[in-house]
Coordinates of all heavy atoms in Angstrom, one line a residue:
M1004 N 71.9 176.7 76.4 CA 71.2 175.5 76.4 C 71.4 174.8 75.1 O 71.3 175.4 74.1 CB 69.7 175.8 76.6 CG 69.3 175.8 78.0 SD 67.6 176.1 77.9 CE 66.9 175.3 79.0
S1005 N 71.4 173.5 75.3 CA 71.5 172.8 74.0 C 70.4 171.8 74.0 O 70.0 171.2 74.9 CB 72.9 172.1 74.0 OG 72.9 171.1 74.9
D1006 N 69.8 171.7 72.8 CA 68.7 170.8 72.6 C 69.4 169.5 72.0 O 69.9 169.6 70.9 CB 67.7 171.3 71.6 CG 66.9 172.5 72.3 OD1 66.7 172.4 73.5 OD2 66.6 173.4 71.5
S1007 N 69.3 168.5 72.7 CA 69.9 167.2 72.2 C 68.8 166.2 72.2 O 67.8 166.2 73.0 CB 71.1 166.8 73.0 OG 70.7 166.5 74.3
I1008 N 68.9 165.3 71.3 CA 67.9 164.2 71.2 C 68.4 163.1 72.2 O 69.5 162.7 72.3 CB 67.9 163.6 69.8 CG1 67.5 164.7 68.8 CG2 67.0 162.4 69.7 CD1 67.6 164.3 67.4
A1009 N 67.4 162.7 73.0 CA 67.7 161.7 74.0 C 67.8 160.3 73.3 O 67.0 160.0 72.5 CB 66.5 161.6 75.0
G1010 N 68.9 159.6 73.7 CA 69.1 158.3 73.2 C 69.2 157.3 74.3 O 69.1 157.7 75.5
P1011 N 69.4 156.1 74.0 CA 69.5 155.1 75.1 C 70.7 155.4 76.0 O 71.8 155.7 75.5 CB 69.6 153.8 74.4 CG 70.0 154.1 73.0 CD 69.6 155.5 72.7
S1012 N 70.5 155.3 77.3 CA 71.6 155.6 78.2 C 72.1 154.3 78.7 O 71.5 153.2 78.5 CB 71.1 156.5 79.3 OG 70.2 155.7 80.1
D1013 N 73.2 154.3 79.4 CA 73.9 153.1 79.9 C 73.1 152.6 81.1 O 73.2 151.4 81.4 CB 75.3 153.4 80.4 CG 76.2 153.7 79.2 OD1 75.9 153.3 78.1 OD2 77.2 154.4 79.4
T1014 N 72.2 153.4 81.7 CA 71.4 152.9 82.8 C 70.1 152.3 82.4 O 69.5 151.6 83.2 CB 71.1 154.1 83.8 OG1 70.4 155.1 83.1 CG2 72.5 154.6 84.4
E1015 N 69.7 152.5 81.2 CA 68.4 151.9 80.8 C 68.6 150.5 80.3 O 69.6 150.2 79.6 CB 67.8 152.7 79.6 CG 67.3 154.1 80.1 CD 66.7 154.8 78.9 OE1 66.3 154.2 77.9 OE2 66.7 156.1 79.0
P1016 N 67.7 149.6 80.7 CA 67.9 148.2 80.2 C 67.6 148.2 78.7 O 66.6 148.7 78.2 CB 66.9 147.4 81.0 CG 65.9 148.4 81.4 CD 66.6 149.7 81.6
G1017 N 68.5 147.5 78.0 CA 68.3 147.4 76.5 C 67.9 146.0 76.2 O 67.7 145.1 77.1
P1018 N 67.7 145.7 75.0 CA 67.4 144.3 74.6 C 68.5 143.3 75.1 O 69.7 143.6 74.9 CB 67.2 144.3 73.1 CG 67.8 145.6 72.6 CD 67.9 146.5 73.8
Q1019 N 68.1 142.3 75.7 CA 69.2 141.3 76.2 C 69.5 140.3 75.1 O 68.7 139.9 74.3 CB 68.6 140.6 77.4 CG 68.4 141.5 78.6 CD 67.8 140.7 79.8 OE1 67.5 139.5 79.7 NE2 67.7 141.3 80.9
A1020 N 70.8 140.0 75.0 CA 71.2 139.0 74.0 C 70.7 137.7 74.5 O 70.7 137.3 75.7 CB 72.7 139.1 74.0
A1021 N 70.3 136.9 73.5 CA 69.8 135.5 73.8 C 71.0 134.7 74.3 O 72.1 134.7 73.7 CB 69.2 134.9 72.6
E1022 N 70.8 134.1 75.5 CA 71.8 133.3 76.1 C 71.9 131.9 75.3 O 70.9 131.3 75.2 CB 71.6 133.1 77.5 CG 71.8 134.3 78.4 CD 71.6 134.1 79.8 OE1 71.9 132.9 80.3 OE2 71.2 135.0 80.5
V1023 N 73.1 131.5 75.0 CA 73.2 130.2 74.3 C 73.5 129.2 75.4 O 74.5 129.4 76.2 CB 74.4 130.3 73.3 CG1 74.6 128.9 72.7 CG2 74.2 131.3 72.3
P1024 N 72.7 128.2 75.6 CA 72.9 127.2 76.6 C 74.2 126.4 76.4 O 74.5 126.0 75.2 CB 71.7 126.3 76.6 CG 71.1 126.5 75.2 CD 71.5 127.9 74.8
D1025 N 74.9 126.1 77.4 CA 76.1 125.3 77.3 C 75.6 123.8 77.3 O 75.0 123.4 78.3 CB 77.0 125.6 78.5 CG 78.3 124.8 78.5 OD1 78.5 124.1 77.5 OD2 79.0 124.9 79.5
P1026 N 75.9 123.1 76.3 CA 75.5 121.7 76.3 C 76.1 120.8 77.3 O 75.5 119.8 77.7 CB 75.8 121.2 74.9 CG 76.8 122.1 74.4 CD 76.6 123.4 75.1
A1027 N 77.2 121.2 77.9 CA 77.9 120.4 78.9 C 77.4 120.8 80.3 O 77.8 120.2 81.3 CB 79.4 120.5 78.8
A1028 N 76.6 121.9 80.4 CA 76.2 122.4 81.7 C 75.1 121.4 82.3 O 74.4 120.7 81.6 CB 75.6 123.8 81.6
P1029 N 75.0 121.4 83.6 CA 74.0 120.5 84.2 C 72.6 120.9 83.8 O 72.3 122.1 83.8 CB 74.2 120.7 85.7 CG 75.6 121.3 85.9 CD 75.8 122.0 84.6
A1030 N 71.8 120.0 83.5 CA 70.4 120.2 83.2 C 69.6 119.0 83.6 O 69.9 117.9 83.2 CB 70.2 120.5 81.7
P1031 N 68.5 119.2 84.4 CA 67.7 118.1 84.8 C 67.1 117.4 83.5 O 66.7 118.0 82.6 CB 66.6 118.7 85.6 CG 67.1 120.0 86.0 CD 68.1 120.5 84.9
L1032 N 67.0 116.1 83.6 CA 66.5 115.3 82.4 C 65.0 115.3 82.5 O 64.3 115.1 81.5 CB 67.1 113.9 82.4 CG 68.6 113.8 82.2 CD1 69.0 112.4 82.3 CD2 68.9 114.4 80.9
G1033 N 64.4 115.4 83.7 CA 63.0 115.4 83.9 C 62.4 114.0 83.7 O 61.2 113.9 83.4
V1034 N 63.2 113.0 83.9 CA 62.7 111.6 83.8 C 62.1 111.2 85.2 O 62.7 111.3 86.2 CB 63.8 110.6 83.4 CG1 63.3 109.2 83.4 CG2 64.4 111.0 82.1
T1035 N 60.8 110.8 85.2 CA 60.2 110.3 86.4 C 60.5 108.8 86.6 O 60.6 108.1 85.6 CB 58.7 110.6 86.4 OG1 58.1 109.9 85.3 CG2 58.4 112.0 86.4
R1036 N 60.7 108.4 87.8 CA 61.0 107.0 88.1 C 59.9 106.5 89.0 O 59.6 107.0 90.0 CB 62.3 106.9 88.8 CG 62.8 105.5 88.9 CD 64.1 105.4 89.7 NE 64.0 106.0 91.1 CZ 63.4 105.4 92.1 NH1 62.7 104.3 91.9 NH2 63.3 106.0 93.2
T1037 N 59.4 105.3 88.7 CA 58.4 104.7 89.5 C 59.1 103.7 90.4 O 59.9 102.9 90.0 CB 57.4 103.8 88.6 OG1 56.9 104.7 87.6 CG2 56.3 103.2 89.4
P1038 N 58.8 103.8 91.7 CA 59.4 103.0 92.7 C 59.1 101.5 92.4 O 58.1 101.1 91.9 CB 58.8 103.4 94.0 CG 58.2 104.7 93.8 CD 57.9 104.8 92.4
T1039 N 60.2 100.7 92.7 CA 60.0 99.2 92.4 C 59.4 98.5 93.5 O 58.9 97.4 93.3 CB 61.4 98.6 92.1 OG1 62.2 98.7 93.3 CG2 62.1 99.3 91.0
G1040 N 59.4 99.1 94.7 CA 58.9 98.4 95.9 C 60.0 97.7 96.7 O 59.8 97.2 97.8
D1041 N 61.2 97.5 96.1 CA 62.4 96.9 96.8 C 63.2 98.1 97.3 O 63.7 98.9 96.5 CB 63.2 96.1 95.8 CG 64.3 95.3 96.5 OD1 65.2 96.0 97.1 OD2 64.3 94.1 96.4
E1042 N 63.3 98.2 98.6 CA 64.0 99.4 99.2 C 65.5 99.5 98.7 O 65.9 100.6 98.5 CB 64.0 99.3 100.7 CG 62.6 99.5 101.3 CD 62.6 99.4 102.8 OE1 63.6 99.7 103.4 OE2 61.5 99.1 103.4
A1043 N 66.2 98.4 98.6 CA 67.6 98.4 98.2 C 67.7 98.9 96.8 O 68.5 99.8 96.5 CB 68.2 97.0 98.4
V1044 N 66.8 98.4 95.9 CA 66.9 98.8 94.5 C 66.5 100.3 94.4 O 67.1 101.1 93.6 CB 66.0 97.9 93.6 CG1 65.9 98.4 92.2 CG2 66.6 96.5 93.6
D1045 N 65.4 100.7 95.1 CA 65.0 102.1 95.0 C 66.0 103.1 95.5 O 66.2 104.1 94.9 CB 63.7 102.3 95.8 CG 62.5 101.6 95.1 OD1 62.6 101.4 93.9 OD2 61.5 101.3 95.8
A1046 N 66.8 102.7 96.5 CA 67.8 103.5 97.1 C 68.9 103.7 96.0 O 69.5 104.8 95.8 CB 68.4 103.0 98.3
V1047 N 69.3 102.6 95.3 CA 70.3 102.7 94.3 C 69.8 103.6 93.1 O 70.5 104.4 92.6 CB 70.7 101.3 93.8 CG1 71.6 101.4 92.6 CG2 71.4 100.5 94.9
L1048 N 68.6 103.4 92.7 CA 68.0 104.2 91.6 C 67.9 105.6 91.9 O 67.9 106.5 91.0 CB 66.7 103.6 91.1 CG 66.8 102.2 90.5 CD1 65.4 101.7 90.1 CD2 67.7 102.2 89.2
D1049 N 67.7 106.0 93.2 CA 67.6 107.4 93.6 C 68.9 108.1 93.3 O 68.9 109.3 93.1 CB 67.2 107.5 95.1 CG 65.8 107.2 95.4 OD1 65.0 107.2 94.4 OD2 65.4 106.9 96.5
R1050 N 70.0 107.4 93.3 CA 71.3 108.0 93.0 C 71.3 108.6 91.6 O 72.1 109.5 91.3 CB 72.4 106.9 93.1 CG 73.7 107.3 92.6 CD 74.6 107.8 93.8 NE 76.0 107.8 93.4 CZ 76.6 108.9 92.8 NH1 75.9 110.0 92.5 NH2 77.9 108.8 92.6
L1051 N 70.4 108.1 90.7 CA 70.4 108.6 89.3 C 70.0 110.1 89.3 O 70.4 110.9 88.4 CB 69.4 107.9 88.4 CG 69.8 106.5 88.0 CD1 68.6 105.8 87.4 CD2 71.0 106.5 87.1
A1052 N 69.3 110.6 90.3 CA 69.0 112.0 90.4 C 70.2 112.9 90.5 O 70.2 114.1 90.1 CB 68.0 112.3 91.5
D1053 N 71.3 112.3 91.0 CA 72.5 113.1 91.1 C 73.1 113.5 89.8 O 73.8 114.6 89.7 CB 73.6 112.3 91.9 CG 73.2 112.1 93.3 OD1 72.3 112.8 93.9 OD2 73.8 111.2 93.9
A1054 N 72.8 112.8 88.7 CA 73.2 113.2 87.4 C 72.6 114.5 86.9 O 73.2 115.2 86.1 CB 72.9 112.0 86.4
D1055 N 71.4 114.8 87.4 CA 70.8 116.1 87.0 C 71.6 117.3 87.5 O 71.5 118.4 86.9 CB 69.4 116.2 87.6 CG 68.4 115.3 86.9 OD1 68.7 114.8 85.9 OD2 67.3 115.2 87.5
H1056 N 72.5 117.2 88.4 CA 73.2 118.3 89.0 C 74.7 118.3 88.5 O 75.5 119.1 89.0 CB 73.2 118.3 90.5 CG 71.8 118.2 91.0 ND1 70.8 119.2 90.9 CD2 71.1 117.2 91.6 CE1 69.7 118.8 91.4 NE2 69.8 117.6 91.9
L1057 N 75.0 117.4 87.6 CA 76.4 117.3 87.2 C 76.5 117.6 85.7 O 75.5 117.4 84.9 CB 76.9 115.8 87.4 CG 77.0 115.3 88.8 CD1 77.3 113.9 88.8 CD2 78.0 116.1 89.6
A1058 N 77.6 118.0 85.3 CA 77.9 118.2 83.8 C 77.9 116.8 83.2 O 78.0 115.8 83.8 CB 79.2 118.9 83.6
A1059 N 77.7 116.8 81.9 CA 77.6 115.5 81.2 C 78.8 114.6 81.4 O 78.6 113.4 81.5 CB 77.4 115.8 79.7
D1060 N 80.0 115.2 81.6 CA 81.1 114.3 81.8 C 81.1 113.7 83.2 O 81.9 112.8 83.4 CB 82.4 115.1 81.5 CG 82.6 116.3 82.4 OD1 81.7 116.7 83.1 OD2 83.7 116.9 82.3
G1061 N 80.3 114.1 84.1 CA 80.2 113.5 85.4 C 79.1 112.4 85.5 O 79.0 111.7 86.5
H1062 N 78.4 112.2 84.4 CA 77.3 111.2 84.4 C 77.8 109.8 84.5 O 77.2 108.9 85.1 CB 76.4 111.4 83.2 CG 75.6 112.6 83.2 ND1 74.5 112.8 82.3 CD2 75.6 113.7 84.0 CE1 74.0 114.0 82.6 NE2 74.6 114.5 83.6
V1063 N 79.0 109.6 83.9 CA 79.5 108.2 83.8 C 79.7 107.6 85.2 O 79.4 106.5 85.5 CB 80.8 108.2 83.0 CG1 81.5 106.8 83.1 CG2 80.6 108.6 81.5
E1064 N 80.3 108.4 86.1 CA 80.6 108.0 87.5 C 79.3 107.6 88.2 O 79.2 106.6 88.8 CB 81.3 109.1 88.3 CG 81.6 108.7 89.7 CD 82.2 109.8 90.5 OE1 82.8 110.7 89.9 OE2 82.2 109.7 91.7
V1065 N 78.2 108.4 88.0 CA 76.9 108.1 88.6 C 76.3 106.8 88.0 O 75.9 105.9 88.7 CB 75.9 109.2 88.4 CG1 74.5 108.9 88.9 CG2 76.4 110.5 89.1
Y1066 N 76.4 106.7 86.7 CA 75.8 105.5 86.0 C 76.6 104.2 86.5 O 76.0 103.2 86.7 CB 75.8 105.6 84.5 CG 75.0 106.7 84.0 CD1 75.3 107.4 82.8 CD2 73.9 107.2 84.7 CE1 74.5 108.4 82.3 CE2 73.1 108.2 84.2 CZ 73.4 108.8 83.0 OH 72.6 109.8 82.5
E1067 N 77.9 104.3 86.6 CA 78.7 103.1 87.0 C 78.4 102.8 88.4 O 78.3 101.6 88.8 CB 80.2 103.4 86.8 CG 80.6 103.4 85.3 CD 82.0 103.7 85.1 OE1 82.7 104.2 86.1 OE2 82.5 103.5 84.0
D1068 N 78.2 103.8 89.3 CA 77.8 103.5 90.7 C 76.5 102.8 90.8 O 76.3 101.9 91.5 CB 77.8 104.8 91.5 CG 77.6 104.6 92.9 OD1 78.2 103.7 93.5 OD2 77.0 105.5 93.6
V1069 N 75.5 103.3 90.0 CA 74.2 102.7 90.0 C 74.2 101.3 89.5 O 73.6 100.3 90.0 CB 73.2 103.5 89.2 CG1 71.9 102.8 89.0 CG2 72.9 104.9 89.9
H1070 N 75.0 101.1 88.4 CA 75.2 99.7 87.9 C 75.8 98.8 88.9 O 75.3 97.6 89.0 CB 76.1 99.8 86.6 CG 76.2 98.5 85.9 ND1 77.3 97.7 85.9 CD2 75.3 97.8 85.1 CE1 77.2 96.6 85.2 NE2 76.0 96.7 84.7
R1071 N 76.8 99.2 89.6 CA 77.4 98.4 90.7 C 76.3 98.0 91.7 O 76.3 96.9 92.2 CB 78.6 99.1 91.3 CG 79.9 98.9 90.6 CD 81.0 99.4 91.4 NE 80.9 100.9 91.7 CZ 81.3 101.8 91.0 NH1 81.9 101.6 89.8 NH2 81.2 103.1 91.3
G1072 N 75.5 99.0 92.1 CA 74.5 98.8 93.1 C 73.4 97.8 92.7 O 73.0 97.0 93.5
L1073 N 73.0 97.9 91.4 CA 72.0 97.0 90.9 C 72.6 95.6 90.8 O 71.9 94.6 91.1 CB 71.5 97.5 89.6 CG 70.7 98.8 89.6 CD1 70.3 99.2 88.2 CD2 69.4 98.6 90.4
R1074 N 73.8 95.4 90.4 CA 74.4 94.1 90.3 C 74.5 93.5 91.7 O 74.3 92.3 91.9 CB 75.8 94.2 89.7 CG 75.7 94.4 88.2 CD 77.1 94.2 87.5 NE 77.6 92.9 87.8 CZ 77.6 91.9 86.9 NH1 77.0 92.1 85.7 NH2 78.1 90.7 87.2
A1075 N 74.9 94.3 92.7 CA 75.0 93.8 94.1 C 73.6 93.4 94.6 O 73.5 92.3 95.3 CB 75.5 94.9 95.0
A1076 N 72.5 94.1 94.2 CA 71.2 93.7 94.6 C 70.8 92.3 93.9 O 70.2 91.5 94.5 CB 70.2 94.8 94.2
L1077 N 71.2 92.2 92.7 CA 70.9 90.9 92.0 C 71.8 89.7 92.6 O 71.3 88.6 92.8 CB 71.2 91.0 90.5 CG 70.2 91.8 89.7 CD1 70.8 92.0 88.2 CD2 68.9 91.1 89.7
D1078 N 73.0 90.0 92.9 CA 73.8 89.0 93.6 C 73.3 88.6 94.9 O 73.3 87.4 95.3 CB 75.3 89.5 93.7 CG 76.0 89.6 92.4 OD1 75.6 89.0 91.4 OD2 77.1 90.3 92.4
A1079 N 72.7 89.6 95.6 CA 72.1 89.3 96.9 C 70.9 88.3 96.8 O 70.7 87.5 97.6 CB 71.7 90.6 97.6
L1080 N 70.2 88.5 95.7 CA 69.1 87.5 95.4 C 69.6 86.1 95.2 O 69.0 85.1 95.7 CB 68.3 88.0 94.2 CG 67.5 89.3 94.3 CD1 66.8 89.6 93.0 CD2 66.4 89.1 95.4
D1081 N 70.7 86.0 94.5 CA 71.3 84.7 94.3 C 71.8 84.0 95.6 O 71.8 82.8 95.7 CB 72.4 84.7 93.3 CG 71.9 85.0 91.9 OD1 70.7 84.7 91.6 OD2 72.7 85.4 91.1
A1082 N 72.2 84.8 96.5 CA 72.8 84.3 97.8 C 71.7 83.9 98.8 O 72.0 83.1 99.7 CB 73.6 85.4 98.4
Q1083 N 70.4 84.3 98.6 CA 69.4 83.9 99.5 C 69.0 82.5 99.2 O 68.8 82.1 98.0 CB 68.2 84.8 99.3 CG 68.4 86.2 99.7 CD 67.2 87.1 99.5 OE1 66.2 86.7 98.9 NE2 67.3 88.3 99.8
P1084 N 68.8 81.7 100.3 CA 68.4 80.3 100.0 C 67.0 80.3 99.5 O 66.1 81.0 100.0 CB 68.5 79.7 101.4 CG 68.4 80.8 102.4 CD 68.9 82.0 101.7
G1085 N 66.7 79.4 98.6 CA 65.4 79.3 98.0 C 64.7 78.1 98.6 O 65.2 77.4 99.5
P1086 N 63.5 77.7 98.1 CA 62.8 76.6 98.6 C 63.6 75.3 98.3 O 64.2 75.2 97.2 CB 61.5 76.7 97.9 CG 61.7 77.5 96.7 CD 62.8 78.4 97.0
Q1087 N 63.4 74.4 99.2 CA 64.1 73.1 98.9 C 63.4 72.3 97.8 O 62.2 72.3 97.7 CB 64.0 72.2 100.2 CG 64.9 72.8 101.4 CD 66.4 72.6 101.1 OE1 66.8 71.8 100.4 NE2 67.2 73.5 101.7
A1088 N 64.2 71.6 97.0 CA 63.6 70.8 96.0 C 63.0 69.6 96.7 O 63.5 69.1 97.7 CB 64.7 70.4 95.0
P1089 N 61.9 69.0 96.2 CA 61.3 67.8 96.8 C 62.3 66.7 96.7 O 63.0 66.5 95.7 CB 60.0 67.6 96.0 CG 60.1 68.4 94.8 CD 61.1 69.5 95.0
A1090 N 62.3 65.9 97.7 CA 63.2 64.8 97.8 C 62.7 63.7 96.8 O 61.5 63.4 96.8 CB 63.4 64.2 99.2
R1091 N 63.6 63.1 96.1 CA 63.2 62.0 95.1 C 63.9 60.8 95.5 O 65.1 60.8 95.6 CB 63.5 62.4 93.7 CG 62.7 63.6 93.2 CD 63.0 63.8 91.8 NE 62.0 63.0 91.0 CZ 61.9 63.0 89.7 NH1 62.8 63.8 89.0 NH2 61.1 62.3 89.1
G1092 N 63.2 59.8 95.7 CA 63.8 58.5 96.0 C 64.2 57.8 94.7 O 63.9 58.3 93.6
P1093 N 64.7 56.6 94.8 CA 65.0 55.9 93.5 C 63.7 55.6 92.8 O 62.7 55.3 93.4 CB 65.7 54.6 94.0 CG 65.3 54.5 95.5 CD 65.0 55.9 96.0
L1094 N 63.8 55.6 91.5 CA 62.7 55.3 90.7 C 62.4 53.7 90.7 O 63.3 52.9 90.8 CB 62.9 55.7 89.2 CG 63.1 57.2 89.0 CD1 63.4 57.4 87.5 CD2 61.8 57.9 89.3
P1095 N 61.1 53.3 90.7 CA 60.8 51.9 90.7 C 61.4 51.3 89.4 O 61.5 51.9 88.4 CB 59.3 51.8 90.8 CG 58.8 53.2 90.7 CD 60.0 54.2 90.7
Y1096 N 61.7 50.0 89.5 CA 62.2 49.3 88.3 C 61.3 49.3 87.1 O 61.8 49.4 86.0 CB 62.6 47.8 88.8 CG 63.2 47.0 87.7 CD1 64.5 47.2 87.3 CD2 62.4 46.1 87.0 CE1 65.0 46.5 86.3 CE2 63.0 45.3 86.0 CZ 64.3 45.5 85.6 OH 64.8 44.8 84.6
N1097 N 60.1 49.2 87.3 CA 59.1 49.1 86.2 C 58.7 50.5 85.6 O 57.8 50.6 84.8 CB 57.9 48.3 86.6 CG 57.1 49.0 87.7 OD1 57.6 50.0 88.2 ND2 56.0 48.4 88.1
S1098 N 59.4 51.6 86.0 CA 59.0 52.9 85.5 C 59.8 53.3 84.3 O 59.7 54.4 83.8 CB 59.1 53.9 86.6 OG 60.5 54.1 86.9
R1099 N 60.6 52.4 83.7 CA 61.4 52.8 82.5 C 60.5 52.9 81.3 O 59.5 52.2 81.2 CB 62.4 51.7 82.2 CG 63.5 51.7 83.3 CD 64.6 50.9 82.7 NE 65.1 50.0 83.8 CZ 66.0 49.1 83.6 NH1 66.5 48.9 82.4 NH2 66.4 48.3 84.5
S1100 N 60.9 53.7 80.4 CA 60.1 53.8 79.2 C 60.7 53.1 78.1 O 61.8 52.7 78.0 CB 59.9 55.3 78.8 OG 61.1 56.0 78.7

């Protein structure tokens, strides 16, 4: 028989090395977004959540897509007819200053 001192074995869990986070790995930003009340704009802004699941180099595509969507929503506002301006007849002759 041999008396040996027990040491850590390969099957026992030892201290774990601290994991170094990869700065390019996907990480949720945790930014909350308040709905605007405009369904079209809210749908475009919901696309920003996709950036949480992408590496940093994939964010540009999402941001450009959201920017295009917001510009389209603004352009759509310009295309809608607004209220008619009141009709103005000719000014009376004596109204000059």
